[in-house]
């Protein structure tokens, strides 16, 4: 499995997945036709389009790519009326294949009600769309904060070495937020060197890993006693901590 990162628009990431054994080419969340087609062109085919959710910066390239390459579009069944060009309806926990690559659909509502992740368990790779970012998480638009926290907890339980490919380059702003509210976290300070060095060279910070995020991403640490104390939320439940942090981040 080979993954190619395509930066799109101002801060989106689309991803090409190439299964070299079967020469099956897929794309996750084509933000725009023009940015993605420049890269797809060199493969001269596009078998599948996978969408994590219905927002236009994740499905914007669907229809034109499908028309040009006769691709099949896979997305969540519950969003069949708002995913342009959808062909294959996906269910929660279902196992699917693109070429020889197997993946599991994980329903992670909160950012949108039908948001899904694509988990390639044999390769330890997950595509998290706008639910998990490096050092952050997506805004809660269509779900509740409780739902979003539950969705993040599903991702948290994957093996530490799982690489997470996310939908937006928000890492610098997320880092500043985490540093502000979790200032004594040494793992976070260490990760900040790595992030800054990548960004100085205009390299993407995607992918991150679940193990690293568990130590550094404040939104995955809502159950951490030390963090709760720092935030003066010692007696609060995890979802209350999450709601507080998400509200603070919305205006950060
Ligand atoms: Zn979105
Ligand atoms: Fe987005």
């Amino acid at each position: 499995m080979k993954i190619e990162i395509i930066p799109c628009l101002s801060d989106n990431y689309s991803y090409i997945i190439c299964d070299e054994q079967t020469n099956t080419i897929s794309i996750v969340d084509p933000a725009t036709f023009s940015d993605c087609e420049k890269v797809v062109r060199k493969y001269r085919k596009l078998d599948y389009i996978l969408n994590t959710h219905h927002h236009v910066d994740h499905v914007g390239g669907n229809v034109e790519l499908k028309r040009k390459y006769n691709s099949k579009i896979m997305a969540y069944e519950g969003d069949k009326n708002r995913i342009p060009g959808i062909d294959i309806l996906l269910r929660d926990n279902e196992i699917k294949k693109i070429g020889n690559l197997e993946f599991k659909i994980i329903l992670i509502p909160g950012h949108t009600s039908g948001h899904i992740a694509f988990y390639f368990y044999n390769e330890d790779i997950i595509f998290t769309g706008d639910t998990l970012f490096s050092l952050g998480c997506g805004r809660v638009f269509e779900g509740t904060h409780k739902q979003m926290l539950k969705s993040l907890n599903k991702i948290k339980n994957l093996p530490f070495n799982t690489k997470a490919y996310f939908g937006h380059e928000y890492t610098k702003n997320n880092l500043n937020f985490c540093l502000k509210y979790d200032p004594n976290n040494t793992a976070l300070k260490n990760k900040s060197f790595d992030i800054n060095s990548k960004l100085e060279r205009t390299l993407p910070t995607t992918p991150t890993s679940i193990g690293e995020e568990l130590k550094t991403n404040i939104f995955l640490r809502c159950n951490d006693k030390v963090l709760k104390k720092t935030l003066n939320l010692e007696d609060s439940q995890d979802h209350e901590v999450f709601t507080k942090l998400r509200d603070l981040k919305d205006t950060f």
Side-chain angles (χ1 to χ4, degrees):
M1 179 177 188
K2 214 186 82 197
I3 295 174
E4 185 166 356
I5 301 167
I6 311 175
C8 295
L9 301 168
S10 57
D11 50 40
N12 274 85
Y13 288 126
S14 303
Y15 299 101
I16 301 264
I17 301 172
C18 172
D19 175 28
E20 288 152 310
Q21 283 178 4
T22 61
N23 189 32
T24 303
I25 310 299
S26 309
I27 193 165
V28 177
D29 284 353
T32 67
F33 174 76
S34 57
D35 289 325
C36 295
E37 209 275 329
K38 277 178 210 151
V39 182
V40 170
R41 197 181 292 162
K42 71 180 182 200
Y43 296 93
R44 291 194 306 251
K45 68 195 293 256
L46 182 64
D47 300 292
Y48 297 103
I49 297 171
L50 282 64
N51 298 130
T52 60
H53 66 295
H54 73 92
H55 285 158
V56 68
D57 60 320
H58 298 257
V59 304
N62 272 23
V63 171
E64 278 175 281
L65 285 170
K66 175 175 169 170
R67 189 184 304 139
K68 177 147 188 189
Y69 292 99
N70 200 19
S71 324
K72 292 280 177 244
I73 299 178
M74 295 190 186
Y76 181 55
E77 61 174 0
D79 274 346
K80 64 175 191 291
N81 294 323
R82 50 183 193 176
I83 299 282
I86 190 168
D87 296 296
I88 300 168
L89 307 185
L90 305 176
R91 293 187 306 269
D92 187 21
N93 291 316
E94 188 178 8
I95 305 291
K96 281 281 176 186
K97 259 176 138 182
I98 46 176
N100 284 339
L101 303 172
E102 283 178 24
F103 61 102
K104 184 176 171 178
I105 314 305
I106 307 178
L107 182 63
I108 44 173
H111 179 69
T112 67
S113 56
H115 196 302
I116 53 175
F118 304 108
Y119 178 39
F120 293 81
Y121 40 84
N122 293 322
E123 286 79 18
D124 291 311
I125 284 172
I126 187 166
F127 293 88
T128 59
D130 285 359
T131 299
L132 179 77
F133 298 127
S134 182
L135 301 182
C137 71
R139 285 179 190 250
V140 179
F141 286 128
E142 295 175 6
T144 63
H145 286 80
K146 255 190 182 168
Q147 246 182 347
M148 186 67 163
L149 182 62
K150 201 176 149 199
S151 295
L152 289 169
N153 285 339
K154 280 191 188 176
I155 299 173
K156 255 174 97 164
N157 288 325
L158 299 175
F160 294 167
N161 64 336
T162 309
K163 282 187 188 164
Y165 288 82
F166 47 88
H168 289 270
E169 185 56 71
Y170 293 155
T171 308
K172 182 66 183 177
N173 183 270
N174 291 344
L175 170 65
N176 291 340
F177 182 79
C178 287
L179 285 169
K180 179 168 178 185
Y181 292 101
D182 192 11
N184 303 316
N185 184 334
T186 45
L188 180 62
K189 286 177 200 165
N190 291 335
K191 192 169 167 79
S192 79
F193 292 111
D194 181 47
I195 289 166
N196 288 327
S197 105
K198 278 183 181 148
L199 293 175
E200 276 159 22
R201 291 174 285 152
T202 58
L203 294 174
T205 61
T206 188
T208 182
S209 77
I210 298 303
E212 274 177 58
E213 292 303 312
L214 285 174
K215 288 186 280 183
T216 55
N217 186 330
I218 200 163
F219 293 99
L220 298 188
R221 291 162 41 70
C222 295
N223 59 341
D224 187 282
K225 288 209 175 74
V226 179
L227 179 66
K228 280 186 180 179
K229 203 168 171 203
T230 314
L231 296 167
N232 282 322
L233 292 170
E234 282 163 283
D235 300 320
S236 300
Q237 292 182 26
D238 300 353
H239 74 91
E240 294 170 320
V241 176
F242 177 73
T243 304
K244 174 79 186 165
L245 287 171
R246 191 54 262 178
D247 287 347
L248 287 167
K249 183 65 169 51
D250 285 351
T251 53
F252 181 71

